[in-house]
Amino acid sequence: METIIFTVLVLSSMGVLLAVILYFVAQKFKVFEDPRIDEVAEILPGANCGGCGYAGCRAFAEALVKNDDISTLLCPVGGSSVMNKAAEHLGKTAAVKDPLIAVVRCSGSCEARPRTNLFEGAKSCAVMSTTYSGDTGCSFGCLGQGDCVVACTFDAIYINPETLLPEVDEEKCTACGSCVKVCPKFIIELRKKGPKNRRIYVSCVNKDKGGVARKSCGAACIGCIKCQKVCAFDAITIASNLAYIDNTKCRLCRKCVTECPTNAIRELNFPPKKQEVKSE
Amino acid sequence: MKIKTFKHGGIHPYDNKISAESTIETVAPEGVMQIFLSQHIGAPAAPVVAKGDKVKVGQLIAKATGFVSANIHSSVSGTVTNIDLVADHLGIKKEAITIKVEGDEWLDDIDRSDDIVKEIKLSAEEIVKKVADSGLVGLGGAAFPSHVKLSVPPGKKAEYLIINAAECEPYLTSDYRLMMEHTEELMIGVQILKKAIGVPVAYIGVEVNKPKAIEKLNSLRSGYEGIEIVPLKKKYPQGGEKQLIKAVTNREVPSGGLPIDVGAIVHNVGTTFSVYEAVQKNKPLIDNVVTVTGKDISVQRNLLVRVGAPVSRLLEIAGGIPESTGKVIFGGPMMGKAASNPNAPTQKSTSAVLLMLDGESHRGKPSPCVRCSRCVSACPMNLEPYLLKRLSERKLFEESEKNSAHDCIECGCCAYSCPANIPLLDYIRLSKTEVLKMKRNRK
């Protein structure tokens, strides 16, 4: 009996003593963390894609809480709805930003751009581009090994088995930009999603002279400046034989699309054009 | 006679030197030549001629920009028709000078006679300057400007001059033909190099699968002072710079270091011959021996080709591309690169054009790694290819650096020995490029 009482006494007094020590140690080494960080992290999508430029959603939440001005920060996955929610929670204002989407600027399908050789090396665009210019005549275009597909954490990009070009799933793409970073040919660009998902872009990155570009790919931009001439809003610039449409200036009038002789300018999600009645 | 070799790794591919007995034939220039401004490691040369200019053979057409760079000379006489981007054999567009060939008019101060000039008149400094002026680059493959190698940095001392005559790469015979046909010139070339860097003895390393060359070199050696012939075991990559140094001197070049760090300077046979021509004959580097070979080619060729000649012409001389060809390779089967553009012009460092049979040119289907570690035993640089491949696949380039991906010499032994057909070198080459990029950015 005595042994039991002795044991209980010793153990409980040890417990109390250690609890007191622990209490003071905890006070001494206390780290204050803003509880809002966890709250904001709850609001964020939790995809940890790194599209915001931070290591993950929690790091981004920390940045949102710590910075007074959050107008430069954006969660591309959540878009403005999530940003507004987070900003409201913190009593700050988020900048209004148009939703973006990844576009693949290459139209070199198997038909337009015949394969000139066979690549049997490692299935990776990065490896292929360090080895040589590619398996077609065009040294700028898509290599089709699918590094962007591997990089996408949202399963939003896939290789079309017919054209062997990557295609973006508009529903799933969050514009996190990981495909943009991984493409060794710099083909993928983040552009404004546009009203009703309508957008126009030059689907080519070939900087060769017109003749050379045309010879290697039927759908290449040949830098003929026809689109630049027809554009009423100065949205098109031509640099080193390649047209580029500035999507902040473009008003989606679609004049350039019909003007382009090689169909290198693409329109997406537009209703089919009405047949123009020619007045004679 | 002790046969030397390097210790770790290496493979034994069948040597296939089927063009070994074809004597060197000269290809007369004709048509249009395209001469790249960047045929060497380092900064591209800057053109000093303009469109429409008339040039003669041996005339300087592009000047080196910086120390690690090389002059480019016209290999033909004619008119400059264009200075524009031209696709090389890998399809990569590089700046090139296009010259339309008109006649064959040489600069007057180039000695074109066959006389062998033995007496070395120039001093050591003058030799290095001459080598730099003549646009000499290493003809072993890497095309590193030769004068850089000859200029020993302060604080370092050259103790060994090694002439790389191993020619361990299968199929290639251009160096062998030079040794057989221009032995005397080579010996003088070695003397010039010895004088330039101030060493008493030079070692010529030859693989034992070339007994005739060893015999020939030995028979002429007595006429010259301080030349040792070192027979080397037939093993690939015996002619790798670091492997050759290990074999001859038993010294190991440190990771990330240069041969001069262990007191060695290595020059290729082709380069040595060009040094002779530049110093004794005043002839800049405008031509080199290119082996045109393949199992189904009707006549095997070793051709003396002017730099910038279209490869299609060389193939024409060799009787066209046979039906059975699977791929055209610039260089040998181990380190050469498959050409996606067989119309590309030759460069200073083009050592061979190889037509591989279709049956031999395809890679097997890769299957998962079975951890047999054959790649580790085969790697002559003591690397772990399977690990580097995995790191590269996951884009862990900092980790690759810790595992010395930048020390890879791209010899291809790992991929050759892999029973699972894994394209190890493809991935390691990617790591190597990325690691070197990281190192450069850190400076």
Side-chain angles (χ1 to χ4, degrees):
Chain A
M1 192 62 195
E2 233 173 65
T3 332
I4 295 171
I5 294 170
F6 190 68
T7 316
V8 169
L9 271 177
V10 167
L11 282 177
S12 43
S13 54
M14 248 175 83
V16 171
L17 186 73
L18 289 173
V20 171
I21 295 171
L22 266 179
Y23 173 77
F24 283 106
V25 171
Q27 288 300 313
K28 172 88 178 160
F29 294 105
K30 194 172 184 178
V31 178
F32 174 76
E33 196 178 47
D34 201 326
R36 293 180 298 171
I37 294 177
D38 278 331
E39 289 161 24
V40 174
E42 278 293 298
I43 298 169
L44 294 175
N48 290 323
C49 65
C52 52
Y54 290 88
C57 289
R58 205 166 186 289
F60 184 60
E62 210 175 316
L64 281 174
V65 171
K66 283 187 180 157
N67 292 336
D68 288 327
D69 178 25
I70 59 165
S71 58
T72 51
L73 302 175
L74 176 76
C75 168
V77 179
S80 43
S81 66
V82 162
M83 282 308 290
N84 283 336
K85 227 170 161 184
E88 205 178 297
H89 191 82
L90 297 168
K92 295 172 187 174
T93 42
V96 183
K97 272 186 188 146
D98 294 314
L100 299 174
I101 192 166
V103 290
V104 180
R105 292 179 295 166
C106 180
S107 315
S109 60
C110 306
E111 267 169 39
R113 192 173 56 140
R115 298 297 187 260
T116 53
N117 59 76
L118 182 71
F119 179 68
E120 286 186 338
K123 198 171 162 48
S124 151
C125 304
V127 168
M128 196 169 169
S129 71
T130 49
T131 312
Y132 73 130
S133 70
D135 55 359
T136 66
C138 173
S139 55
F140 295 89
C142 177
L143 299 170
Q145 302 293 321
D147 276 15
C148 47
V149 180
V150 177
C152 184
T153 39
F154 300 96
D155 211 8
I157 200 161
Y158 58 95
I159 301 277
N160 184 328
E162 263 174 41
T163 57
L164 295 183
L165 290 173
E167 275 177 27
V168 178
D169 187 328
E170 295 191 6
E171 300 280 298
K172 289 179 181 165
C173 178
T174 58
C176 69
S178 37
C179 52
V180 177
K181 273 178 229 153
V182 84
C183 180
K185 296 280 185 186
F186 310 104
I187 289 166
I188 308 177
E189 188 198 4
L190 293 181
R191 290 178 73 88
K192 276 206 289 192
K193 216 166 186 175
K196 291 184 192 164
N197 284 349
R198 289 174 183 175
R199 52 189 179 272
I200 294 175
Y201 62 96
V202 180
S203 181
C204 182
V205 288
N206 193 320
K207 286 179 179 164
D208 277 332
K209 282 178 187 156
V212 182
R214 188 68 204 256
K215 209 172 159 190
S216 58
C217 176
C221 170
I222 53 173
C224 66
I225 67 168
K226 272 186 176 171
C227 51
Q228 192 180 27
K229 277 187 195 155
V230 84
C231 183
F233 311 104
D234 281 339
I236 302 181
T237 44
I238 304 218
S240 41
N241 308 308
L242 179 65
Y244 179 78
I245 302 178
D246 183 348
N247 61 12
T248 54
K249 287 181 184 165
C250 175
R251 304 270 190 90
L252 305 174
C253 71
R254 292 203 273 170
K255 272 187 192 155
C256 52
V257 181
T258 40
E259 197 66 30
C260 181
T262 59
N263 293 327
I265 302 182
R266 279 251 187 113
E267 53 170 39
L268 280 183
N269 303 321
F270 281 90
K273 265 202 162 174
K274 283 174 205 155
Q275 285 293 318
E276 278 178 40
V277 186
K278 279 181 187 169
S279 52
E280 283 176 45
Chain B
M1 197 162 69
K2 198 171 171 285
I3 296 169
K4 292 184 170 179
T5 187
F6 58 100
K7 291 265 151 50
H8 188 270
I11 51 169
H12 303 273
Y14 189 67
D15 64 3
N16 276 319
K17 307 260 186 197
I18 40 184
S19 54
E21 296 315 315
S22 315
T23 49
I24 299 172
E25 294 163 62
T26 311
V27 179
E30 63 167 44
V32 171
M33 305 293 257
Q34 292 171 319
I35 304 169
F36 286 117
L37 294 179
S38 174
Q39 303 189 25
H40 46 261
I41 289 179
V48 292
V49 288
K51 202 173 157 179
D53 284 5
K54 294 265 179 211
V55 291
K56 285 184 182 174
V57 180
Q59 189 180 329
L60 183 74
I61 52 173
K63 223 174 151 34
T65 52
F67 182 57
V68 185
S69 183
N71 286 340
I72 312 273
H73 299 81
S74 176
S75 60
V76 290
S77 64
T79 318
V80 177
T81 54
N82 210 350
I83 302 177
D84 202 3
L85 297 176
V86 169
D88 69 358
H89 58 288
L90 301 173
I92 297 163
K93 294 196 176 80
K94 296 196 291 190
E95 197 112 34
I97 297 176
T98 308
I99 300 170
K100 192 170 174 286
V101 181
E102 290 151 3
D104 196 23
E105 207 179 319
W106 289 56
L107 283 186
D108 298 331
D109 51 2
I110 298 173
D111 178 4
R112 291 182 66 193
S113 64
D114 286 335
D115 311 337
I116 290 168
V117 190
K118 271 196 174 178
E119 194 194 347
I120 305 162
K121 288 185 189 129
L122 303 185
S123 71
E125 289 80 34
E126 283 168 333
I127 292 171
V128 177
K129 194 173 174 298
K130 189 83 215 167
V131 166
D133 289 345
S134 308
L136 256 59
V137 299
L139 298 180
F144 192 75
S146 299
H147 65 274
V148 182
K149 274 193 193 174
L150 289 178
S151 321
V152 180
K156 303 263 166 68
K157 196 178 168 293
E159 295 166 56
Y160 290 95
L161 169 66
I162 304 169
I163 304 301
N164 187 351
E167 203 164 52
C168 58
E169 181 95 30
Y171 288 97
L172 267 54
T173 54
S174 47
D175 286 354
Y176 175 68
R177 285 320 308 173
L178 276 178
M179 281 188 273
M180 295 304 288
E181 294 173 39
H182 296 283
T183 331
E184 197 90 13
E185 287 95 321
L186 273 177
M187 291 293 182
I188 302 166
V190 176
Q191 299 298 340
I192 297 169
L193 287 173
K194 265 167 61 187
K195 189 171 179 186
I197 56 177
V199 289
V201 188
Y203 300 85
I204 306 181
V206 196
E207 267 192 358
V208 286
N209 64 344
K210 294 178 265 291
K212 281 188 196 164
I214 297 180
E215 202 178 300
K216 185 118 197 218
L217 289 169
N218 265 325
S219 68
L220 276 171
R221 186 169 67 108
S222 50
Y224 300 89
E225 255 175 53
I227 290 181
E228 294 278 336
I229 314 295
V230 185
L232 301 165
K233 192 177 167 190
K234 185 192 158 312
K235 178 159 110 177
Y236 178 85
Q238 189 70 73
E241 199 172 47
K242 286 159 190 161
Q243 283 65 39
L244 187 65
I245 293 170
K246 176 75 186 165
V248 175
T249 70
N250 201 20
R251 292 183 184 182
E252 211 160 283
V253 180
S255 166
L258 291 170
I260 192 68
D261 295 338
V262 293
I265 291 179
V266 182
H267 280 284
N268 178 266
V269 166
T271 320
T272 314
F273 180 64
S274 306
V275 165
Y276 164 79
E277 287 198 314
V279 176
Q280 306 293 70
K281 299 277 196 170
N282 204 18
K283 183 183 153 200
L285 182 53
I286 53 165
D287 51 15
N288 60 335
V289 182
V290 178
T291 305
V292 183
T293 182
K295 283 181 183 162
D296 267 7
I297 284 192
S298 44
V299 193
Q300 307 292 328
R301 305 274 184 178
N302 287 298
L303 303 169
L304 183 68
V305 184
R306 304 277 176 93
V307 171
V311 168
S312 46
R313 173 118 200 280
L314 305 188
L315 293 173
E316 228 170 77
I317 293 169
I321 303 181
E323 277 289 300
S324 57
T325 305
K327 61 179 163 189
V328 180
I329 299 178
F330 272 49
M334 295 301 299
M335 285 202 67
K337 294 217 168 143
S340 64
N341 173 20
N343 296 324
T346 62
Q347 301 183 23
K348 285 177 185 175
S349 58
T350 307
S351 52
V353 178
L354 166 63
L355 302 180
M356 287 274 268
L357 296 183
D358 193 36
E360 293 176 342
S361 42
H362 294 284
R363 295 199 194 184
K365 200 171 169 283
S367 53
C369 174
V370 291
R371 306 291 172 116
C372 64
S373 80
R374 275 196 213 170
C375 53
V376 181
S377 341
C379 181
M381 295 303 290
N382 281 321
L383 304 175
E384 290 175 280
Y386 75 95
L387 176 68
L388 290 172
K389 179 251 172 187
R390 286 172 75 92
L391 293 173
S392 171
E393 225 175 2
R394 285 161 181 72
K395 305 218 158 42
L396 301 171
F397 298 123
E398 263 147 37
E399 205 62 28
S400 306
E401 191 184 354
K402 281 183 207 151
N403 286 290
S404 312
H406 50 284
D407 281 338
C408 172
I409 56 165
E410 304 184 25
C411 63
C413 289
C414 50
Y416 179 89
S417 61
C418 182
N421 295 321
I422 298 172
L424 292 159
L425 179 57
D426 283 2
Y427 284 106
I428 299 171
R429 199 184 278 129
L430 174 67
S431 294
K432 188 182 169 184
T433 345
E434 292 295 327
V435 169
L436 291 178
K437 215 187 276 171
M438 271 174 6
K439 285 187 134 190
R440 263 201 306 277
N441 291 344
R442 232 174 276 153
K443 269 179 197 163

